[in-house]
C-alpha cells in the first residue's frame, strides 16, 4: 500500500492541512493500492500565495534563464521514465506501449516548450507601436486522470515559458503519478513558489483556483461539464481560460480508401488510450456502398484487438480507470442495444476469460444513426459507432453534426480529395491517413470541445497578454 501524504508548496513537500483520505486503485485488478491525503481550500490558498510571491521575480526572468529551467525539468522527468511508466500502468491501467509513450511525452513537452521559447520574439513592431507580450500572471492548471503526468508537464511548461507562475491541481485519482512527477520537477531546482502542486478535489482546490482573484488564467483539461463550471466561476474576475474538453471525433473512410489499411487504422483511432481519449475517433463514417465489406473486415479486425492485462505487450485495450467509469461505459453499451444499433463486436460485460478488473469488451456498433445517444455523447470507453453516408456532402454534414469539434480523421487514397474535405470540417485537428501527433502544432477544440489552443507558439501565447507601447 502506498501512502501519499504530501503536497508541494513553495519549493517544499509539506503535509496538507486537508485530512481527507482518498483511495487509489489498480484498475486491472480492482484492488486498492494506496491512499492519498487530499489538500483542502487552505492549502490551495497557501499555494496561490506562494505563486504570487514568486511571480514578481520570475515574470522578469530572461528567456535564457527560463529555457535553462525547462531543459533541467526535461532532464529530470526523462530520468524517471521507467518509474512513471510503471505508475501509469499500476494506477491508470494504460497498456504498456501507451504508458511508455505517456511517460516520454511528459518529458518531451518540456523540451518542446524550451525550443518554442528559443524561437519566440516577445517584442514586435506593429505600425507605430511596440507590442510586448507580457506574462498573464498566476496560472491555475487543472488536469484529468487520462493523461495526468503529460498534462501537468505540458501546461506547466507553457506557463513557465511565458513567465507565469503556477498552482497545479492534478486529478485526485492520479496521485501516485503526480507524486513521482513532483519529485522530479523539484529536483530541477527552480526558485520556490514558481510552481506548486496541490492534489485535492475539484470542488475544493479546483473551485478555489477558478474563483480566486489572484489567479489570472485557468488552463483546464477535462469534461465539458466541468469546463463550463470553470468558465462560469471565472467570469467574476474575468479569468483567461484555456479549456480542453470532450470530443466525439468522426473518422471519415472515403469510398476510395484501401480498407485493409483504413479499417485497422479506424479501430486504432477509436480504441487509443483504451477508448479513454478525448481525441478518440468514435464515429466511423463509411460509404453506404461499402458497408458490407467494412462490417466484415471490422469483425475480423476487432477480434484481433486484445483487451486485458496492461503489462502484456500484445494488449491494446486496458481497463477503465474506475468502477464508476466501467459502469458508465456499460450503460452506453446497453443504450446502444436499446436504441436498435447492430452490435457487430463486443457487448456488455467483461472480455472473455477475465474475471476481475474494470475491463470492457472492445465494442463496435453498426447501422448507427447520428442522432442516437451513442453517436452524440462522449462515452470515454472502447465503444465505436459505424454510421453510413451516401455522398461526400452528407459525410461532411454528419461529421460536423455534433456539439464537439476536437479532432477528425480522413482515410483516403486521394490526398487532394482528403485535403479538400478537411477544409470543411469544424475541428481543431484533422488527421489525414495518420494517427501521428505534432507536438508544435496547436491543439484544442471548436465548439463545445473547448476554448483556446495548447502546444507550440499558440500554447505559449495563451499565457501572454499583448501590450502596445506607443511613443
Ligand atoms: P473531469 O472534468 O471530471 O475532471 C478533470 C479535473 O477537473 C480533475 O482534476 C477534477 O478534480 C477537476 N474538477 C472537477 N470538478 C471541478 C470543479 N468544479 N472546479 C474545478 N475543477 C474541477 O474529467 P475527468 O473525468 O478527469 O477526465 C475525462 C474528461 O476529460 C473527458 O470528458 C475527456 O474528453 C476530457 N479530456 C479532454 C482532453 C482534451 O485535451 N480536450 C484531454 C483529456 C481528457
Amino acid at each position: 500500500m502506498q501512502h501519499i501524504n504530501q503536497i508541494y508548496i513553495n519549493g517544499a513537500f509539506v503535509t496538507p492541512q486537508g485530512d481527507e483520505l482518498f483511495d487509489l486503485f489498480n484498475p486491472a485488478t480492482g484492488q486498492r493500492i494506496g491512499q492519498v491525503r487530499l489538500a483542502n481550500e487552505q492549502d490551495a490558498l497557501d499555494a496561490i500565495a506562494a505563486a504570487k510571491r514568486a511571480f514578481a521575480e520570475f515574470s522578469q526572468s530572461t528567456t535564457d534563464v527560463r529555457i535553462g529551467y525547462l531543459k533541467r525539468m526535461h532532464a529530470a522527468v526523462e530520468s524517471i521514465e521507467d518509474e512513471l511508466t510503471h505508475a501509469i500502468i499500476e494506477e491508470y491501467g494504460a497498456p504498456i506501449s501507451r504508458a511508455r509513450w505517456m511517460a516520454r511525452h511528459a518529458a518531451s513537452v518540456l523540451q518542446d516548450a524550451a525550443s518554442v521559447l528559443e524561437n519566440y520574439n516577445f517584442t514586435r513592431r506593429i505600425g507605430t507601436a511596440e507590442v510586448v507580450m507580457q506574462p498573464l500572471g498566476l496560472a491555475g492548471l487543472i488536469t484529468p486522470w487520462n493523461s495526468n503526468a503529460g498534462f501537468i508537464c505540458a501546461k506547466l511548461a507553457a506557463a513557465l515559458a511565458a513567465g507565469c507562475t503556477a498552482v497545479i491541481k492534478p486529478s485526485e485519482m492520479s496521485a501516485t503519478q503526480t507524486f513521482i512527477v513532483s519529485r522530479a520537477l523539484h529536483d530541477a531546482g527552480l526558485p520556490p513558489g514558481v510552481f506548486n502542486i496541490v492534489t485535492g478535489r475539484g470542488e475544493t482546490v479546483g473551485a478555489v483556483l477558478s474563483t480566486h482573484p489572484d489567479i489570472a488564467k485557468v488552463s483546464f483539461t477535462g469534461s465539458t461539464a466541468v469546463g463550463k463550471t470553470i468558465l462560469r466561476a471565472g467570469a467574476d474576475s474575468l479569468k483567461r481560460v484555456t479549456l480542453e474538453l470532450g470530443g466525439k471525433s468522426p473518422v471519415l473512410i472515403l469510398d476510395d480508401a484501401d480498407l485493409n489499411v483504413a479499417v485497422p487504422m479506424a479501430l486504432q483511432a477509436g480504441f487509443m488510450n483504451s477508448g479513454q481519449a478525448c481525441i478518440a475517433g468514435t464515429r466511423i463514417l463509411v460509404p453506404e456502398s461499402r458497408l458490407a465489406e467494412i462490417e466484415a473486415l471490422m469483425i475480423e479486425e476487432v477480434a484481433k484487438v486484445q483487451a486485458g492485462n496492461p503489462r502484456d505487450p500484445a494488449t491494446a485495450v486496458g481497463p477503465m480507470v474506475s468502477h464508476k467509469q466501467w459502469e458508465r461505459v456499460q450503460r452506453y453499451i446497453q443504450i446502444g442495444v436499446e436504441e436498435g444499433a447492430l452490435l457487430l463486436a463486443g457487448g456488455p460485460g467483461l472480455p472473455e476469460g477475465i474475471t476481475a478488473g474494470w475491463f470492457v469488451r472492445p465494442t463496435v456498433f453498426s447501422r448507427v444513426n447520428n442522432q442516437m445517444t451513442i453517436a452524440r455523447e462522449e462515452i470515454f470507453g472502447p465503444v465505436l459507432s459505424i454510421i453510413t453516408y451516401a455522398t461526400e456532402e452528407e459525410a461532411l454534414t454528419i461529421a460536423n453534426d455534433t456539439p464537439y469539434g476536437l479532432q477528425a480523421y480522413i482515410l483516403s487514397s486521394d490526398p487532394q480529395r482528403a485535403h479538400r474535405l478537411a477544409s470543411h470540417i469544424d475541428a481543431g485537428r484533422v488527421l489525414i491517413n495518420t494517427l501521428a501527433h505534432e507536438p508544435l502544432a496547436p491543439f484544442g477544440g471548436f465548439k463545445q470541445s473547448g476554448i483556446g489552443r495548447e502546444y507550440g507558439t499558440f500554447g505559449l501565447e495563451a499565457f501572454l497578454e499583448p501590450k502596445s507601447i506607443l511613443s
Side-chain angles (χ1 to χ4, degrees), residues 143 145-146 169 172 220-223 244-246 278 378 380:
T143 73
W145 43 257
N146 72 333
K169 194 220 82 71
E172 55 276 40
F220 167 80
T221 298
S223 60
E244 300 287 2
L245 311 175
C278 51
E378 186 180 49
F380 229 54

Side-chain angles (χ1 to χ4, degrees), residues 239-285:
K239 286 194 199 326
R240 279 66 180 138
V241 291
T242 297
L243 303 175
E244 300 287 2
L245 311 175
K248 195 73 195 175
S249 301
V251 181
L252 267 74
I253 301 185
L254 301 190
D255 55 7
D256 60 37
D258 175 352
L259 295 183
N260 291 315
V261 176
V263 168
M265 205 182 242
L267 287 178
Q268 262 190 59
F271 292 151
M272 72 166 78
N273 205 2
S274 309
Q276 301 178 123
C278 51
I279 53 173
T282 47
R283 293 183 299 140
I284 306 172
L285 313 191

Side-chain angles (χ1 to χ4, degrees), residues 142-148 151 155 169-173 200-210 220-227 229-230 233 243-247 276-279 325 328 378 380 404 406 443-445 449 454:
I142 305 177
T143 73
W145 43 257
N146 72 333
S147 187
N148 179 64
F151 282 116
K155 289 179 189 300
K169 194 220 82 71
S171 169
E172 55 276 40
M173 292 161 69
R201 287 192 181 272
E203 309 84 68
T204 55
V205 175
V208 171
L209 292 183
S210 39
F220 167 80
T221 298
S223 60
T224 297
V226 172
T229 305
I230 288 174
L243 303 175
E244 300 287 2
L245 311 175
Q276 301 178 123
C278 51
I279 53 173
Q325 189 67 14
R328 173 191 156 94
E378 186 180 49
F380 229 54
Y404 295 109
L406 189 59
F443 175 77
S449 285
E454 294 193 281

Side-chain angles (χ1 to χ4, degrees), residues 448-463:
Q448 296 192 34
S449 285
I451 295 178
R453 295 291 181 269
E454 294 193 281
Y455 300 125
T457 308
F458 287 85
L460 172 66
E461 291 192 334
F463 288 93

